[in-house]
Amino acid sequence: MFDYILVGAGLFNATLARCIKNKNQNAKILVIEKRNFLAGNIYTENIDSIDVHKYGAHIFHTNDKEVWDFVNEISEFNRFTNSPIAYYKGEVYNLPFNMNTFSKMWNIFKIDDAKKIIEEQRKEIVEKPQNLEEQAISLVGRDIYEKLIKGYTEKQWGRPCKELPSFIINRLPVRYTYDNNYFNDRYQGIPIDGYTNMIKKMFDGCEIVLNTDYLKVKNKYSANCIVYTGCIDEYFDYKLGRLEYRSLKFEIEKLNIKDYQGNAVVNYTEAEIPYTRIIEHKHFNFVDVDTTIITREYPLSFREGLEPFYPINDDKNQKLYEEYKNLSKNENVIFGGRLGQYKYYDMDKVILSAFDLVKRIV
Ligand code: UDP
């Protein structure tokens, strides 16, 4: 008999484990993980001194001091600042959308000139934006939408921007300063020993079972409290239907050159190139070695055997999720994290939601 069974060894349960142990060192915690490693999709593997983000770029950023202090107590963070660039048919632009982007796009220098152009272009949207396309044009105008948003977003989500919820694009800042920092948050960085080591520390003192699908062994274990961070529809054996997810394929390559692209993240925003971005891992940790490792990221529809990376929070899926959520109220299990709550969480928000849960269960 355990005090807690935590299903899934990602950031949500790692935060729970750490907080539970901080409050009660003797708590008996069992962690059951389907895959053969800890850390979920923030898993990093050190190859040739480079921490490779095996499941895509993870840059930690938050505005919340409590969250920042929490992670820094576990791991030292570097000063990485995400400043991706976008490649569109031979042209290169800074992201997020800022004066560097606008100046390159329209050959202008002054803030007012950028504002004037965007004001003019956004006039095409007169009503309240109803989808991602309208939202994007009303934020930055048609030129930027066509070159830097449309192709990328339609590759990423596998459907037209007109059929996507507008909130997705609100993740991206728009600013009228020459500031290429992708995130608005006060704190930002990457653990200097990699995310995997950080997560391992967070699970210190827990019993860990890898390579095990909890749903197949659940009768074998019992606990006062069970937290499940897998897909909520899978937990209920899809009895109300399947939620949709977006998946990714990663193509990793080691190159015998010192630097491939001079930046950690390059987005490929045209529809004709099948991948959305190339990340060059050594730039996340400022590693000085003679070789480099890059990953091309290809979005894919989710099907069995692939990893679900993103929930698709459109109306249809959201409604189905709400029905599963209702079902979960009769279950003696708590659902957490991106998959358990079908929510496009950033890492800091995952930690905050785990903090909330700790208040209720410990
Ligand atoms: N996006 C875009 N062009 C870009 C980068 C992002 O249009 O070059 C849009 C796209 O719709 C994407 C969303 O912004 O789905 C969120 O991007 P973010 O980089 O935050 O996504 P994540 O890192 O979570 O995959």
Side-chain angles (χ1 to χ4, degrees):
M1 180 81 175
F2 290 89
D3 297 311
Y4 301 89
I5 293 177
L6 307 182
V7 182
L11 184 59
F12 186 87
N13 276 340
T15 306
L16 278 188
R18 175 89 179 180
C19 294
I20 294 168
K21 285 281 183 187
N22 279 347
K23 289 196 173 188
N24 174 8
Q25 195 54 42
N26 298 322
K28 283 191 73 189
I29 305 176
L30 173 68
V31 181
I32 302 183
E33 165 60 49
K34 224 185 210 177
R35 299 197 263 185
N36 64 354
F37 53 85
L38 296 179
N41 288 337
I42 64 174
Y43 177 73
T44 48
E45 196 174 306
N46 196 276
I47 306 174
D48 302 337
S49 308
I50 300 169
D51 277 326
V52 175
H53 295 215
K54 289 299 265 290
Y55 299 96
H58 282 88
I59 299 125
F60 198 91
H61 57 97
T62 187
N63 248 331
D64 192 294
K65 180 147 185 349
E66 197 189 346
V67 169
W68 186 240
D69 289 345
F70 175 76
V71 292
N72 275 271
E73 204 187 285
I74 304 159
S75 173
E76 188 181 339
F77 276 65
N78 69 16
R79 56 134 199 97
F80 182 81
T81 300
N82 194 26
S83 309
I85 56 174
Y87 175 93
Y88 175 83
K89 302 192 176 178
E91 296 168 12
V92 179
Y93 294 94
N94 287 106
L95 292 173
F97 309 127
N98 73 82
M99 281 307 296
N100 290 302
T101 329
F102 308 145
S103 120
K104 182 89 181 262
M105 183 74 63
W106 300 306
N107 196 23
I108 50 152
F109 165 63
K110 288 191 179 147
I111 293 162
D112 280 350
D113 290 339
K115 285 189 173 164
K116 240 183 261 163
I117 294 172
I118 290 176
E119 255 338 294
E120 199 47 44
Q121 294 195 4
R122 72 188 340 168
K123 278 188 190 149
E124 106 175 59
I125 308 295
V126 278
E127 313 257 314
K128 187 173 178 287
Q130 295 300 316
N131 54 52
L132 196 149
E133 175 171 309
E134 293 175 8
Q135 178 71 4
I137 296 171
S138 82
L139 280 174
V140 283
R142 183 161 282 276
D143 287 349
I144 300 231
Y145 169 69
E146 294 286 347
K147 287 191 171 181
L148 302 182
I149 298 175
K150 188 172 191 298
Y152 185 96
T153 302
E154 295 188 346
K155 283 192 283 189
Q156 167 81 351
W157 296 97
R159 58 186 69 184
C161 287
K162 279 195 174 75
E163 291 171 24
L164 283 164
S166 52
F167 81 88
I168 293 174
I169 199 72
N170 296 343
R171 291 168 59 83
L172 254 94
V174 178
R175 48 174 103 93
Y176 292 91
T177 54
Y178 284 91
D179 176 5
N180 293 326
N181 178 359
Y182 199 64
F183 300 114
N184 283 326
D185 289 338
R186 186 151 162 200
Y187 309 105
Q188 182 172 180
I190 290 178
I192 59 167
D193 295 326
Y195 285 99
T196 304
N197 283 325
M198 177 174 112
I199 295 286
K200 271 189 193 155
K201 272 199 207 161
M202 292 166 87
F203 282 123
D204 257 358
C206 300
E207 197 167 310
I208 291 169
V209 178
L210 296 175
N211 285 313
T212 303
D213 181 350
Y214 168 74
L215 298 177
K216 298 209 171 94
V217 298
K218 67 182 193 190
N219 297 331
K220 232 170 101 179
Y221 301 102
S222 59
N224 296 326
C225 176
I226 299 171
V227 179
Y228 181 85
T229 61
C231 297
I232 189 166
D233 56 341
E234 185 182 10
Y235 180 91
F236 288 106
D237 204 17
Y238 311 105
K239 67 176 161 196
L240 304 175
R242 279 178 189 261
L243 288 166
E244 289 176 290
Y245 302 88
R246 205 64 189 143
S247 189
L248 297 169
K249 185 182 85 182
F250 297 99
E251 193 179 84
I252 179 166
E253 197 179 343
K254 181 176 161 174
L255 301 168
N256 282 323
I257 51 173
K258 205 158 164 84
D259 205 324
Y260 175 73
Q261 61 185 19
N263 204 30
V265 184
V266 178
N267 289 0
Y268 287 80
T269 57
E270 62 192 82
E272 291 74 10
I273 293 178
Y275 41 87
T276 45
R277 45 192 165 194
I278 299 182
I279 58 179
E280 187 170 15
H281 302 270
K282 70 191 310 184
H283 295 297
F284 289 125
N285 285 63
F286 315 103
V287 183
D288 185 17
V289 289
D290 288 336
T291 52
T292 193
I293 297 171
I294 61 165
T295 301
R296 293 183 190 82
E297 186 174 317
Y298 297 81
L300 283 180
S301 295
F302 171 69
R303 56 187 147 75
E304 231 151 323
L306 296 176
E307 290 298 332
F309 285 92
Y310 298 92
I312 301 181
N313 296 98
D314 60 8
D315 292 345
K316 186 184 95 191
N317 284 292
Q318 203 52 39
K319 198 170 153 274
L320 182 57
Y321 166 67
E322 295 300 331
E323 289 172 30
Y324 276 117
K325 195 174 158 197
N326 270 337
L327 265 191
S328 73
K329 288 178 188 150
N330 310 322
E331 203 74 9
N332 210 5
V333 171
I334 296 163
F335 292 82
R338 242 193 208 203
L339 303 176
Q341 296 182 309
Y342 200 65
K343 198 163 171 184
Y344 190 1
Y345 273 131
D346 280 339
M347 287 184 280
D348 64 326
K349 301 297 183 304
V350 167
I351 292 177
L352 278 170
S353 92
F355 282 174
D356 271 351
L357 182 58
V358 170
K359 286 182 203 136
R360 287 194 279 130
I361 62 172
V362 186

